[in-house]
Amino acid sequence: MKLSDLHDEDNACFKLFNNDTPYTIIRCLKEEDLRSVWLIELPERGLTTLKRWPVTWKLRWKSLFNQSQPQRQLTGAWKLLSVGVNTPQPVTPVYRSGPYFQLEMPYISGTTAFELLKSGSDYSRSGQYLIARELGKIVHRLASSHLRHRDFKLENVVVKPASESQQQPTLWLIDPVGILYCHSLIHAIVYMLDRLAIQPLHEGISVPFSLQIICIRSALGPISGKSRKAFFRMLRKQLKDSIRQTPSND
């Protein structure tokens, strides 16, 4: 069953954290079973993302151990923010609204890195290089902080356009659920670079070799010598395994 089976988008209404706050529903951004993500507009906060999870026995059980998806959304966001990675900062705690848990977060406007790659849009070469370099820097920053992102894919990276206050585009991670501890710097870097490669592989989308090199160099940072050789050995093996597991498009 999906959300749309219960009511259509035009008639949707929510009970927000602050009951007195009026809001306007813009659209449903994503839905999977009864989980959904909505774009709404609030008078003081502007565009806001409202995430909803149905209250189930499994979710409530995981909540006892702080392992439910809503709780991991919060802790993941704070972990990213603590190491200087751009991600929407939660503006409410996780709260109960009827048969749902809800969380309100700022909406980050822009286009995902995957959409830019898939569309083959006329993004400037320097812009592509910037994105590849910044992706690598995020990978290195997380790994250096003993963290790895279990779902670090291009679809979860929003490229926010340059503005008057920000001269260059910035990258934002919009799904911080899978932020885990990882004691090995090399393992964390290999894992996240492999995750970045998986989605284009599955979709049969070619990534320019120059962008791959820039991203890898940026992710490695000052690593050199034996560690660098071990890294490339592990990365080649991991990518071969990913290619082997990729379904054929025939």
Side-chain angles (χ1 to χ4, degrees), residues 35 102 106 155 169 191 208 236:
R35 291 174 295 175
Q102 296 186 164
E155 193 174 44
Y191 182 92
R236 281 194 295 268

Side-chain angles (χ1 to χ4, degrees), residues 74-90 141-142 144-147 176 179:
L74 272 179
T75 57
W78 291 120
K79 285 177 182 177
L80 291 178
L81 290 167
S82 69
V83 298
V85 175
N86 292 329
T87 195
Q89 180 174 325
R141 179 168 292 180
L142 289 174
S144 298
S145 303
H146 305 293
L147 299 172
I179 309 298

Side-chain angles (χ1 to χ4, degrees), residues 3-180:
L3 190 68
S4 53
D5 295 330
L6 300 180
H7 55 71
D8 58 48
E9 189 171 317
D10 292 336
N11 296 320
C13 59
F14 309 116
K15 182 179 179 182
L16 302 183
F17 185 72
N18 186 341
N19 291 334
D20 300 327
T21 302
Y23 64 90
T24 302
I25 293 178
I26 307 300
R27 66 180 184 276
C28 181
L29 298 173
K30 182 179 180 181
E31 64 172 320
E32 182 179 349
D33 298 325
L34 292 179
R35 291 174 295 175
S36 56
V37 181
W38 295 76
L39 178 61
I40 61 177
E41 187 170 14
L42 301 173
E44 295 182 358
R45 282 196 264 132
L47 292 177
T48 297
T49 301
L50 176 67
K51 299 194 172 189
R52 311 185 87 207
W53 297 266
V55 178
T56 62
W57 68 266
K58 186 175 181 180
L59 189 70
R60 295 173 75 172
W61 173 255
K62 286 187 174 183
S63 297
L64 296 176
F65 306 96
N66 293 320
Q67 290 300 311
S68 70
Q69 193 175 68
Q71 289 167 318
R72 287 187 291 119
Q73 184 88 36
L74 272 179
T75 57
W78 291 120
K79 285 177 182 177
L80 291 178
L81 290 167
S82 69
V83 298
V85 175
N86 292 329
T87 195
Q89 180 174 325
V91 292
T92 68
V94 176
Y95 62 93
R96 180 79 177 263
S97 177
Y100 294 94
F101 282 125
Q102 296 186 164
L103 176 64
E104 298 170 30
M105 305 179 78
Y107 174 71
I108 305 301
S109 61
T111 307
T112 69
F114 182 67
E115 288 171 339
L116 288 175
L117 181 65
K118 187 175 181 179
S119 66
S121 63
D122 230 356
Y123 213 63
S124 69
R125 187 177 294 268
S126 60
Q128 293 176 359
Y129 289 168
L130 171 68
I131 292 173
R133 191 176 299 110
E134 290 303 311
L135 281 172
K137 286 182 180 179
I138 292 172
V139 168
H140 189 82
R141 179 168 292 180
L142 289 174
S144 298
S145 303
H146 305 293
L147 299 172
R148 66 177 173 90
H149 194 337
R150 190 174 63 182
D151 203 19
F152 190 50
K153 56 186 180 181
L154 296 175
E155 193 174 44
N156 288 335
V157 177
V158 170
V159 181
K160 188 175 182 180
S163 63
E164 291 183 2
S165 59
Q166 188 73 43
Q167 294 184 349
Q168 291 185 324
T170 53
L171 271 55
W172 290 70
L173 302 190
I174 59 171
D175 192 354
V177 169
I179 309 298
L180 304 175

